[in-house]
Amino acid sequence: MTLAPVMTDPAASVRAGSRAVPVSSLVVFLALAATLLAAADPLLNDPDSQWHVAVGRWIVDHRTLPWTDLFSHTFAGRPWIAKEWASQVIFAGAHGGAGWWGVAVVAIVSTGVALAVMHGWLRARVGPMAALVGVVLAFVVLAPHLLARPHIFTLPVIVAWTIGLVGARERGLAPPLWLALAMTAWANLHGSYPIGLVLAGLIACEGVVDGPRALWRSRAAAWGLFLAASAAAALATPYGIRPLLVNLTLFGGGGESLRFIAEWQPIRLDGPGLAALGACAVALWVLAAEPRANAFRIGLVLILAAMMVRHSRFMDLFVLVAPFLVAGPAARRFSALRTAATSLAPATGREWGAVIALAAVVLVLAATAAPQPAPTMTPVAALEAARAKGLTGPVYNDYDFGGFLIGAGVPTFIDGRADQIFLGGFMNDLHRAVDAADHAPFDALLRRHGVTWALVRAQGAEAGHLSALDGWTLLHRDPVAAVYMRDR
């Protein structure tokens, strides 16, 4: 099968817009930065942000990486790796230099760079309106997951990786071997990198079978070399293959923790969920116009769609990859998109004016923003009361307080590192005990782990159990948290 080119001369189109695309994309970057700075607190609205900063600080202070759990008392000494160590070090550096403002800003910059680069690439291929729609759609879907956690640093990496793969396909070549280094960055920033290899494999299949059979062998050799280099690059982490094994254990072992964590639940039919499903339908409709030529892209879109339908956290991956897969086929199908892409004009005074105005807004917002983690995840007064009383020993803590306690140097009962620890029936037993109508299972759980005090939500189920159990006294209660201590 032979694929028609995206446009008569895509390289000429990109050259024609080379002066305008960077400016319009800079407008996109500044607009996104202003939007996120105006409401920066939600970027820190996840308890995991706090423990990621703490782990990064530990790595910097000790100049080494952990191999066992150092932060809980329930699984202390068990195997655990900081597989997202590079992101954690970035967060620790940002926090050390500028507090939570710095953490929010690096998350904003990463997001803005990813979507601005996406805009520039789309702008040169499908025109200004379609490019803007693609970026707005991506932002709407991404918005609930724009959090200061390691995945935020993969956004520009995913965009660059996909552009490299699809761009090579447009040129009828295998990607340059240096692009494999993106997999090294991805693997050290976040554990989602295996899907990058799947993406490369399917694009490689399309690249091999496009054109005369006589070329298949040489193309397979070129793409095969690139895939081998990428797989090797993905293993270039301080932990070697272990991050990949964590992924296999998480999904292959039934994923005990998955059903208890919101982002691992199926896609919701809310605004972002409906936008993602609508984008999927449009992508399949565009690709279905040439089912043979787009067979591998259809397969990839279906894989990404299945992932996000099953686990909502993969909506991000879908909206970052799908636009690049669909842009070329869409331009072939709709002449208006080709015309818009090839009629780029130099940057106008209006665009430069927008850049200057938005830059001023960004500077003002950056100077006045003071983001902090939500009080509901930072029970400062409760911990101060516990320390004033001299409470020591193993604590029972609410799941959402785990990141805060790690940051405060208190070994946790449970926290957000449930991809590797708090497994083996631990989370199942915990939730059964908390959800039980009888107080005895919760009491048995506390005794089994030698718990001597508790830091829980003031109105949570655990507080109800502790209030009813003999031998426990309420030490402190505020609107966020309550502290209970076992009678001596």
Side-chain angles (χ1 to χ4, degrees):
M1 71 186 73
T2 302
L3 299 183
V6 173
M7 53 190 68
T8 305
D9 182 4
S13 173
V14 174
R15 286 195 302 272
S18 61
R19 294 173 61 191
V21 169
V23 177
S24 59
S25 297
L26 181 57
V27 171
V28 169
F29 173 83
L30 292 171
L32 289 169
T35 300
L36 293 173
L37 280 169
D41 282 345
L43 292 164
L44 307 176
N45 197 24
D46 190 296
D48 288 358
S49 298
Q50 299 178 70
W51 72 257
H52 283 300
V53 169
V55 170
R57 186 166 57 241
W58 187 94
I59 292 170
V60 172
D61 290 345
H62 292 81
R63 299 185 180 182
T64 189
L65 297 176
W67 289 81
T68 59
D69 176 29
L70 306 170
F71 305 104
S72 81
H73 63 81
T74 43
F75 283 78
R78 303 281 185 89
W80 179 79
I81 59 173
K83 58 186 176 61
E84 297 157 339
W85 69 275
S87 295
Q88 291 158 348
V89 168
I90 294 172
F91 279 137
H95 187 270
W100 288 111
W101 181 91
V103 173
V105 166
V106 294
I108 290 170
V109 170
S110 183
T111 303
V113 167
L115 294 184
V117 171
M118 173 188 284
H119 174 268
W121 192 91
L122 293 175
R123 174 69 179 86
R125 286 159 178 80
V126 295
M129 186 55 65
L132 185 60
V133 168
V135 170
V136 170
L137 177 65
F139 181 75
V140 168
V141 175
L142 287 169
H145 303 146
L146 293 180
L147 300 162
R149 287 171 35 190
H151 75 281
I152 205 75
F153 296 122
T154 69
L155 304 189
V157 176
I158 292 171
V159 167
W161 177 251
T162 309
I163 285 175
L165 296 174
V166 175
R169 274 291 300 116
E170 287 184 351
R171 298 187 299 273
L173 303 170
L177 290 180
W178 60 260
L179 182 63
L181 295 176
M183 288 305 304
T184 300
W186 195 344
N188 287 280
L189 289 167
H190 192 252
S192 59
Y193 68 92
I195 192 60
L197 298 175
V198 175
L199 173 62
L202 288 173
I203 296 296
C205 290
E206 181 181 283
V208 169
V209 302
D210 172 31
R213 286 180 177 269
L215 297 177
W216 286 14
R217 179 173 296 182
S218 61
R219 290 182 175 182
W223 276 96
L225 178 61
F226 172 76
L227 292 175
S230 298
L235 298 179
T237 78
Y239 295 112
I241 198 173
R242 288 174 177 80
L244 178 60
L245 298 179
V246 169
N247 283 327
L248 295 177
T249 301
L250 180 64
F251 291 100
E256 175 185 341
S257 62
L258 301 188
R259 67 190 183 93
F260 301 116
I261 300 174
E263 66 189 38
W264 288 106
Q265 303 312 301
I267 193 170
R268 297 174 57 185
L269 297 181
D270 53 9
L274 291 174
L277 291 174
C280 180
V282 171
L284 291 173
W285 172 67
V286 171
L287 295 173
E290 298 176 289
R292 293 186 61 194
N294 296 325
F296 292 106
R297 299 191 186 208
I298 291 172
L300 184 52
V301 168
L302 289 174
I303 290 172
L304 296 173
M307 291 172 62
M308 75 172 178
V309 167
R310 186 173 182 184
H311 301 300
S312 62
R313 68 177 296 166
F314 291 121
M315 292 193 304
D316 304 2
L317 187 63
F318 179 86
V319 294
L320 288 174
V321 171
F324 301 106
L325 301 177
V326 175
R332 291 198 300 271
R333 183 171 182 180
F334 302 106
S335 60
L337 295 179
R338 294 195 299 274
T339 301
T342 56
S343 60
L344 299 177
T348 64
R350 181 176 298 179
E351 286 178 313
W352 283 113
V355 167
I356 294 171
L358 283 170
V361 171
V362 167
L363 289 174
V364 170
L365 291 172
T368 56
Q372 292 292 325
T376 54
M377 296 179 296
T378 52
V380 176
L383 181 59
E384 288 177 349
R387 284 175 165 167
K389 183 66 176 179
L391 297 185
T392 59
V395 64
Y396 175 89
N397 62 275
D398 184 273
Y399 179 88
D400 283 347
F401 294 162
F404 168 77
L405 289 179
I406 289 177
V410 178
T412 64
F413 183 91
I414 190 170
D415 54 69
R417 298 172 297 140
D419 59 338
Q420 298 180 59
I421 55 177
F422 310 116
L423 305 175
F426 181 90
M427 293 191 74
N428 290 329
D429 292 344
L430 170 60
H431 282 267
R432 277 195 296 267
V434 171
D435 295 339
D438 185 9
H439 304 302
F442 190 73
D443 185 35
L445 178 75
L446 299 181
R447 293 182 182 278
R448 184 159 64 249
H449 293 283
V451 170
T452 59
W453 64 288
L455 177 60
V456 297
R457 293 202 176 279
Q459 306 300 326
E462 294 100 325
H465 287 304
L466 290 163
S467 296
L469 289 175
D470 292 333
W472 284 89
T473 299
L474 175 65
L475 171 65
H476 169 90
R477 185 190 298 273
D478 60 45
V480 173
V483 176
Y484 290 83
M485 62 181 185
R486 189 183 290 277
D487 295 340
R488 307 280 179 178

